[in-house]
């Protein structure tokens, strides 16, 4: 992985301020400590900090076409690059490096923006075509890698992280209240929203074309499930099991391609267990190195299952022990890298774990993220598979909730996570009186959030999968929890379950094979049989979680108390200090806690938003 940033003057060709470009790039040093490169031309400057993984000595960027007219900077990996390289070489293209991303330059020469149909990878790149003075910026199909952009007067600014864009003097640091409201409502902010009014996040499966006249955004891919009753008849169960096994094995092999050591995250669950098992099969006796988080709180701890899997593989197992004190110590650094407030503390665990990976000499780690959203791994999928969405009365609250659901999803029968009409009242009480007055203008429930046509006519399990993919996975689990926490320590995470061929195959697996007889991830468990211990396959779903804000409060940390003090909350102006005081009093009560899956840690959102304000100079609300 790497960190890229730059800007383009629109529509003129004023000289680029190279000092400003260097300042923006410095904010990304953690993403790419190995080398740097810059391209400056009439009215455009792009630069990159490189984390060298493929061809470490010869793959520095920018990378150019043979005639120098196509310029590339790329954050990410193209996993099918050997196959593409051979094809392009047969067509006469000359390669100057052994780096995987060089195939993008020559694919662009052959196919233009349609190159996106050919690549299997995780990427966010910028290609500048000097012949037509056009910038082509793309984010991968699944949104594994980030790309942000903004307009600053006549400048178009972009970068791998928001902090680089904020260095441009034309970008405001004002908070986006709709982005904040999304954090309070959904698992996290949802592209194109961010926590900053001027900055947008490029959605997964989209690209931008930027030239002297305009900025055009195009969707080239989306997760598409079949409409119920359409398509071919289902195949026998064994067909899907065998095909999935083959695709996952190939995906793991793709993600083992590196010129540096590769490690593996081991949570103690089915998903990471299966990935490490498939990696061990391909390793032909080579010993794996695995990394895990254990918790001092036995109610959160999965270390027994982690050891069980590590022992089965005879892996070299590194374990990090975490508790409330460690959470508090890493909270500020975590928010700085996440660039958004959070409602769970587990990002601090991921941050510390990637540091352990780096210190052990690894730059790449494979993880099991994505399986829950694609194979029905959360408890709600059990009810959707059975066609049960709960009995509802026909009172006024139900009618109002139906209207919200129709507005959000296009279907009042779709339930996702909570009753949003009722929740709007709860979250509104948390806001300060001044913010409450503006609430109708920024309420995130009043803005489109997903493509409703991708939900219509689909099986309920697939509807939930699509919403999980859009609202939970892409901009939360893959972004602030995945990319940011790993790259903060110069570590690249790879996701075998999110291989584009695996994902597109999962859309063809019948829902009844994902959740069968109330057994979630049934088809995946069949693939895992004989590879993962039965104790792990058969255990109840145990989501990754960490100590919540009540545990932090009970530490009586002076810094935490100051961040949540009445005077500070009142001065910031976003939240009601009296409500915050009430939350603090409730959470300090012995035995008080926030349910890790059913509750929203509102106090943690207040705390981490305050940290965000400090770290990025967000002005108080007035």
């Amino acid at each position: 992985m790497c960190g890229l940033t730059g800007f383009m003057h629109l529509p003129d060709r004023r000289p680029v301020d190279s000092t400003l470009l260097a300042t923006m790039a410095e904010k990304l040093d953690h993403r790419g400590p190995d080398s740097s490169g810059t391209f400056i031309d009439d009215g455009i400057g792009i630069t990159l900090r490189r984390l060298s993984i493929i061809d470490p000595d010869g793959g520095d960027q920018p990378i150019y076409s043979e005639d120098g007219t196509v310029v590339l900077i790329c954050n990410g990996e193209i996993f099918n690059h050997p196959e593409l390289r051979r094809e392009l070489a047969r067509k006469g293209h000359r390669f100057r490096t052994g780096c995987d991303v060089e195939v993008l330059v020559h694919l662009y020469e052959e196919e233009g923006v349609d190159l996106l149909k050919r690549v299997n990878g995780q990427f966010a790149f910028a290609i500048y075509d000097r012949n037509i003075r056009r910038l082509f910026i793309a984010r991968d199909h699944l949104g594994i890698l980030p790309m942000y952009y903004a307009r600053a007067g006549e400048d178009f600014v972009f970068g791998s992280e928001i902090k680089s864009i904020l260095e441009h003097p034309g970008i405001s640091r004002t908070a986006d209240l709709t982005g904040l409201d999304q954090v309070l409502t959904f698992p996290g902010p949802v592209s194109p929203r961010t926590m900053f009014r001027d900055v947008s996040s490029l959605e997964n499966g989209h690209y931008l074309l930027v030239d002297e006249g305009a900025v055009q955004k195009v969707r080239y891919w989306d997760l598409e499930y079949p409409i119920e009753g359409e398509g071919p008849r289902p195949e026998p169960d064994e067909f899907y099991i065998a095909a999935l096994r083959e695709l996952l094995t190939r995906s793991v092999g793709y993600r083992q391609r590196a010129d540096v050591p590769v490690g593996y995250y081991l949570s103690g669950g089915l998903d990471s267990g299966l990935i490490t098992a498939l990696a061990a099969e391909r390793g032909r006796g080579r010993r794996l190195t695995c990394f895990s988080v254990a918790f001092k709180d036995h109610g959160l701890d999965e270390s027994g299952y982690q050891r069980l899997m590590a022992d089965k593989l005879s892996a070299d197992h590194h374990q990090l022990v975490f508790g409330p004190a460690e959470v508090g110590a890493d909270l500020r650094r975590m928010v700085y890298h996440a660039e958004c407030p959070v409602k769970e503390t587990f990002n601090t665990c991921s941050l510390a774990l990637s540091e352990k990976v780096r210190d052990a000499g690894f730059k790449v780690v494979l993880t099991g993220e994505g399986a829950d959203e694609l194979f029905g791994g959360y408890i709600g999928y059990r009810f959707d598979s059975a066609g049960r969405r709960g009995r509802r009365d026909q009172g006024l609250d139900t009618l109002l909730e139906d209207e919200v659901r129709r507005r959000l999803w296009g279907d009042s029968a779709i339930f996702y996570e909570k009753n949003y009409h009722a929740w709007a009242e709860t979250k509104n009480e948390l806001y300060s009186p001044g913010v409450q007055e503006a609430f109708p203008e920024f309420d995130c429930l009043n803005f489109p959030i997903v493509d409703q046509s991708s939900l219509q006519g689909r099986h309920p399990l697939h509807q939930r999968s699509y919403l999980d993919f859009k609202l939970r996975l892409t901009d939360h689990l893959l972004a602030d929890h995945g990319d940011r926490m790993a790259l903060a320590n110069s570590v690249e995470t790879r996701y075998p379950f999110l291989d584009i061929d695996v994902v597109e195959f999962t859309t063809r697996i019948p829902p009844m094979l994902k959740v069968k007889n109330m057994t979630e991830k049934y088809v995946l468990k069949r693939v895992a049989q004989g590879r993962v211990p039965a104790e792990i396959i058969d255990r109840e779903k145990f989501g990754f979680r960490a100590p919540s804000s009540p545990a932090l409060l009970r530490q009586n940390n002076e810094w935490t108390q100051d961040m949540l003090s009445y005077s500070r909350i009142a001065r910031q102006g976003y939240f009601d200090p009296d409500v915050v005081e009430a939350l603090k009093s409730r959470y300090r009560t012995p035995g008080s806690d926030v349910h890790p899956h059913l509750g929203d840690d509102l106090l943690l959102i207040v705390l981490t938003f305050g940290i965000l304000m400090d770290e990025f100079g967000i002005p108080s609300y007035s």
Side-chain angles (χ1 to χ4, degrees):
M1 302 271 194
C2 305
L4 59 85
T5 189
F7 56 90
M8 183 175 180
H9 296 316
L10 307 176
D12 59 44
R13 303 189 181 192
R14 287 174 286 121
V16 165
D17 183 342
S18 59
T19 301
L20 171 59
L21 190 64
T23 300
M24 293 168 62
E26 286 172 3
K27 292 295 181 180
L28 304 175
D29 283 350
H30 53 279
R31 295 185 71 94
D34 296 329
S35 67
S36 63
T38 298
F39 169 81
I40 295 178
D41 202 4
D42 292 342
I44 185 170
I46 56 178
T47 186
L48 176 131
R49 292 293 189 265
R50 186 184 182 215
L51 181 65
S52 53
I53 291 173
I54 303 291
D55 190 12
D57 296 327
D60 285 347
Q61 301 181 40
I63 295 177
Y64 301 84
S65 61
E66 293 93 335
D67 63 2
T69 61
V70 178
V71 187
L72 165 77
I73 55 172
C74 180
N75 168 29
E77 305 290 342
I78 307 302
F79 296 120
N80 62 335
H81 71 96
E83 296 83 357
L84 292 172
R85 179 182 290 262
R86 288 191 291 269
E87 174 189 327
L88 290 163
R90 287 195 296 269
K91 293 182 177 181
H93 289 278
R94 301 189 309 275
F95 286 81
R96 298 175 180 173
T97 78
C99 189
D100 57 306
V101 301
E102 188 178 357
V103 299
L104 296 175
V105 171
H106 305 299
L107 271 178
Y108 177 80
E109 290 181 293
E110 290 287 333
E111 303 184 24
V113 299
D114 285 342
L115 72 86
L116 294 166
K117 300 175 182 178
R118 304 292 313 284
V119 294
N120 183 319
Q122 51 188 62
F123 54 81
F125 65 73
I127 290 178
Y128 181 60
D129 189 330
R130 303 175 74 180
N131 288 322
I132 56 177
R133 196 173 186 259
R134 187 181 71 181
L135 191 61
F136 167 37
I137 293 176
R139 188 179 181 194
D140 65 67
H141 306 73
L142 284 304
I144 296 170
L145 290 229
M147 179 65 81
Y148 297 97
Y149 64 97
R151 288 295 298 266
E154 293 186 343
D155 283 0
F156 175 83
V157 191
F158 63 97
S160 296
E161 295 186 10
I162 297 172
K163 55 181 65 68
S164 67
I165 294 175
L166 293 177
E167 291 301 307
H168 191 289
I171 305 298
S172 168
R173 294 173 182 253
T174 302
D176 185 329
L177 289 178
T178 301
L180 175 60
D181 200 54
Q182 285 183 345
V183 175
L184 283 162
T185 307
F186 305 117
V190 183
S191 295
R193 293 284 180 179
T194 71
M195 291 306 303
F196 297 89
R197 186 183 62 192
D198 284 0
V199 182
S200 297
S201 170
L202 182 62
E203 298 95 319
N204 72 285
H206 281 68
Y207 66 81
L208 299 171
L209 295 176
V210 185
D211 59 27
E212 296 179 354
V215 177
Q216 180 186 7
K217 183 166 65 174
V218 179
R219 184 174 75 179
Y220 70 88
W221 185 89
D222 199 11
L223 182 65
E224 293 186 8
Y225 283 109
I227 294 175
E228 284 194 278
E230 296 185 1
R233 295 181 60 183
E235 301 285 347
D237 291 5
E238 292 303 322
F239 166 82
Y240 297 103
I241 295 165
L244 181 59
R245 181 189 305 118
E246 180 179 345
L247 284 170
L248 281 174
T249 299
R250 188 185 71 172
S251 175
V252 169
Y254 272 173
R255 283 150 186 83
Q256 291 176 311
R257 289 176 169 174
D259 295 329
V260 297
V262 176
Y264 302 84
Y265 279 160
L266 196 60
S267 70
L270 168 69
D271 309 332
S272 63
L274 178 55
I275 295 304
T276 53
L278 292 173
E281 287 180 7
R282 295 192 75 263
R284 298 180 179 89
R286 290 195 298 270
R287 193 176 189 190
L288 302 185
T289 301
C290 300
F291 300 87
S292 302
V293 174
F295 290 101
K296 297 173 183 177
D297 182 343
H298 294 300
L300 304 175
D301 188 51
E302 298 182 81
S303 60
Y305 293 103
Q306 295 163 3
R307 286 192 297 270
L308 184 65
M309 191 70 222
D311 289 346
K312 178 177 176 60
L313 301 174
S314 299
D316 181 12
H317 188 207
H318 298 249
Q319 195 173 73
L320 177 71
V321 180
F322 227 67
E326 288 78 13
V327 168
D330 269 350
L331 201 60
R332 181 172 289 277
R333 188 163 70 104
M334 179 272 285
V335 173
Y336 172 75
H337 286 290
E339 299 180 331
C340 67
V342 296
K343 61 181 67 175
E344 314 100 342
T345 65
F346 59 58
N347 279 9
T348 58
C349 310
S350 299
L351 181 64
L353 191 59
S354 70
E355 187 173 20
K356 194 171 186 68
V357 170
R358 181 198 64 195
D359 291 346
F362 289 78
K363 287 185 176 182
V364 176
V365 65
L366 271 62
T367 176
E369 204 75 71
D372 286 323
E373 292 77 15
L374 294 171
F375 294 97
Y378 300 122
I379 190 170
Y381 289 98
R382 297 184 188 180
F383 298 99
D384 289 342
S385 69
R388 297 199 298 270
R389 293 192 167 185
R391 297 177 59 187
R392 308 172 68 213
D393 60 43
Q394 296 301 311
L396 178 60
D397 285 343
T398 298
L399 295 176
L400 293 172
E401 174 64 18
D402 285 349
E403 174 57 30
V404 172
R405 295 184 191 181
R406 276 191 292 269
R407 192 161 65 244
L408 288 175
W409 324 130
D411 185 349
S412 63
I414 297 177
F415 173 81
Y416 183 76
E417 288 207 332
K418 57 170 64 81
N419 287 321
Y420 290 108
H421 170 70
W423 181 247
E425 182 177 350
T426 299
K427 67 180 181 181
N428 199 21
E429 289 178 355
L430 182 63
Y431 290 129
S432 68
V435 173
Q436 287 181 10
E437 290 181 9
F439 182 68
E441 300 172 12
F442 70 80
D443 180 3
C444 70
L445 300 180
N446 292 331
F447 296 91
I449 195 164
V450 297
D451 182 353
Q452 296 179 359
S453 67
S454 295
L455 296 170
Q456 294 170 3
R458 271 67 177 188
H459 188 279
L461 189 146
H462 285 159
Q463 290 175 335
R464 182 180 294 272
S465 176
Y466 184 81
L467 292 176
D468 267 340
F469 175 78
K470 289 292 187 180
L471 306 184
R472 184 186 308 279
L473 184 64
T474 299
D475 293 309
H476 172 42
L477 295 179
L478 296 180
D480 67 81
H481 177 58
D483 173 85
R484 290 319 198 302
M485 296 305 104
L487 267 297
N489 291 305
S490 308
V491 172
E492 174 179 290
T493 44
R494 297 179 175 181
Y495 304 86
F497 285 114
L498 299 181
D499 178 278
I500 184 60
D501 295 329
V502 171
V503 171
E504 293 192 334
F505 178 73
T506 65
T507 66
R508 295 158 44 201
I509 299 176
M512 62 183 178
L513 277 184
K514 295 179 180 179
V515 179
K516 186 171 185 177
N517 298 325
M518 300 301 280
T519 298
E520 74 280 359
K521 295 194 282 195
Y522 171 80
V523 65
L524 203 60
K525 290 181 177 181
R526 288 289 304 276
V527 174
Q529 284 179 352
R531 295 177 170 86
V532 177
E535 297 94 323
I536 293 176
I537 294 176
D538 297 336
R539 65 182 294 218
E540 282 290 320
K541 169 69 179 173
F542 191 92
F544 184 34
R545 50 194 182 181
S548 56
S549 64
L552 294 178
L553 285 177
R554 288 193 284 269
Q555 295 289 303
N556 291 319
N557 181 290
E558 183 177 343
W559 171 77
T560 304
Q561 293 179 37
D562 176 64
M563 290 297 301
L564 292 173
S565 68
Y566 191 98
S567 59
R568 178 184 282 267
I569 299 299
R571 185 169 64 252
Q572 291 170 343
Y574 290 90
F575 301 111
D576 189 323
D578 292 316
V579 175
V580 173
E581 287 296 308
L583 285 171
K584 287 160 58 179
S585 177
R586 182 196 308 170
Y587 288 174
R588 283 196 181 103
T589 303
S592 174
D593 205 350
V594 179
H595 192 285
H597 303 303
L598 302 179
D600 286 276
D601 195 338
L602 298 178
L603 195 60
L604 187 65
I605 295 175
V606 174
L607 173 60
T608 53
F609 182 73
I611 296 172
L612 190 78
M613 291 182 68
D614 286 354
E615 292 294 313
F616 292 96
I618 296 175
S620 298
Y621 185 82
S622 59

